[in-house]
Amino acid sequence: MKVKEVADLVGISVRTLHHYDAIGLLSPAETTEAGYRFYSEHDLETLQQILFFKELGFSLKEIQRILEDPAFDRKEALELQRRMLVEKRSHVDHMITTIDKTIKEMMGEIEMTNEEKFEGMNFDHNPYEEEARRRWGDEKVDESKGKIKGMSKEKLSEDWDAIYTRLAKLRHGSPDSAEAQEAIHEWYEFLNNFGDYSYEAFRGLGQMYVDDERFTKNIDKYGEGLAIFMRDAMAVYADRKA
């Protein structure tokens, strides 16, 4: 398949495939003298693995290390990825419940305590953590756990407010400025305490801040126009990281 055909099939950009080729993560089976790239069935299987790992929060560098490991077994990886995604689905279900309650609070239907804002966010137990450590090393797991170690729900709520307040002060400037991107990176890291946001998911979340007036209203409590500024800054961030 040609690169455009693969991009359309998978739903990613041609630029992303070119980037994977440039860094040696996924090079097409054949490149003609005219520069046309052709992907084999094996290439598509590798791309599937890459995207599964990305969904689970692995960086491209980590994915490349895993795929290049002589001991890598595709079936074993798929089985573990499935179990991890089922666990993630359960986590997401809890998060959705909390979001539903938060929306009701935004509409004035209920009031939530700081503890309720973080219900369902349990970082103390992951039944596949040790399995992930054995196969892919401690670095990724330790990095994730280190972010929230010792943080109370009250501290998380304070950090949430601090990031929004910082962004609100920057909202009249350019969303691609160094300060804005540094603050948005902080927001991205904060969100990934609670889940595995891909860059595209992060971009989509920013768009939702503007498309859904309920979210816009809540975010703009920190400063009028903040939701639009965050959407634009999150899009720039995603573009630069993709």
Side-chain angles (χ1 to χ4, degrees):
M1 298 180 69
K2 294 180 180 179
V3 62
K4 181 65 165 60
E5 294 173 328
V6 174
D8 290 343
L9 172 68
V10 178
I12 59 178
S13 67
V14 170
R15 187 183 67 170
T16 295
L17 289 172
H18 286 171
H19 178 60
Y20 290 173
D21 186 11
I23 65 175
L25 179 60
L26 176 63
S27 297
E30 179 184 352
T31 302
T32 68
E33 293 182 0
Y36 293 107
R37 296 172 168 86
F38 289 94
Y39 291 82
S40 66
E41 285 296 322
H42 177 72
D43 292 334
L44 294 180
E45 292 173 358
T46 301
L47 179 58
Q48 183 193 57
Q49 280 291 303
I50 291 170
L51 297 179
F52 280 145
F53 279 124
K54 280 192 65 179
E55 180 62 28
L56 290 166
F58 289 85
S59 70
L60 294 183
K61 184 179 294 185
E62 289 166 334
I63 295 171
Q64 187 167 15
R65 176 174 58 82
I66 292 168
L67 295 179
E68 291 178 351
D69 189 330
F72 176 76
D73 182 288
R74 181 170 175 251
K75 182 176 181 293
E76 181 185 49
L78 286 168
E79 290 171 347
L80 180 57
Q81 287 166 339
R82 184 185 188 283
R83 293 195 295 272
M84 293 176 74
L85 286 168
V86 168
E87 179 70 18
K88 181 178 179 180
R89 180 174 62 188
S90 175
H91 175 77
V92 169
D93 286 342
H94 286 296
M95 294 284 287
I96 289 172
T97 299
T98 300
I99 287 174
D100 288 342
K101 291 175 66 176
T102 303
I103 291 173
K104 287 183 179 180
E105 183 190 44
M106 290 168 57
M107 302 300 290
E109 298 177 15
I110 63 171
E111 290 187 5
M112 296 177 69
T113 65
N114 285 338
E115 288 76 14
E116 288 175 319
K117 291 178 182 178
F118 297 95
E119 281 183 356
M121 301 178 188
N122 182 3
F123 312 104
D124 297 327
H125 175 65
N126 181 345
Y128 304 113
E129 177 178 316
E130 290 305 317
E131 196 168 359
R133 285 185 184 277
R134 287 197 302 271
R135 283 162 173 74
W136 301 322
D138 290 344
E139 181 179 356
K140 183 67 180 180
V141 179
D142 288 339
E143 177 186 350
S144 176
K145 290 178 72 66
K147 292 177 183 177
I148 47 83
K149 184 178 180 181
M151 294 177 69
S152 65
K153 292 179 180 179
E154 290 78 8
K155 178 64 167 57
L156 289 171
S157 183
E158 289 173 5
D159 288 350
W160 177 304
D161 286 336
I163 294 170
Y164 268 69
T165 300
R166 179 184 179 188
L167 285 163
K169 292 178 180 178
L170 299 171
R171 72 187 189 280
H172 298 303
S174 173
D176 64 356
S177 69
E179 283 187 323
Q181 287 302 298
E182 182 181 340
I184 281 296
H185 173 71
E186 188 177 1
W187 180 234
Y188 179 78
E189 291 293 311
F190 181 87
L191 288 176
N192 274 284
N193 286 324
F194 316 118
D196 297 314
Y197 280 84
S198 67
Y199 297 126
E200 283 305 309
F202 188 58
R203 180 206 301 277
L205 182 64
Q207 186 63 48
M208 187 177 67
Y209 291 166
V210 176
D211 291 345
D212 191 320
E213 63 181 12
R214 294 169 298 181
F215 284 92
T216 304
K217 181 180 179 180
N218 195 47
I219 292 171
D220 280 2
K221 288 179 181 178
Y222 290 86
E224 186 176 354
L226 177 58
I228 292 175
F229 176 79
M230 289 185 68
R231 176 201 63 187
D232 295 343
M234 290 162 77
V236 171
Y237 184 84
D239 282 341
R240 291 180 177 178
K241 295 292 185 179

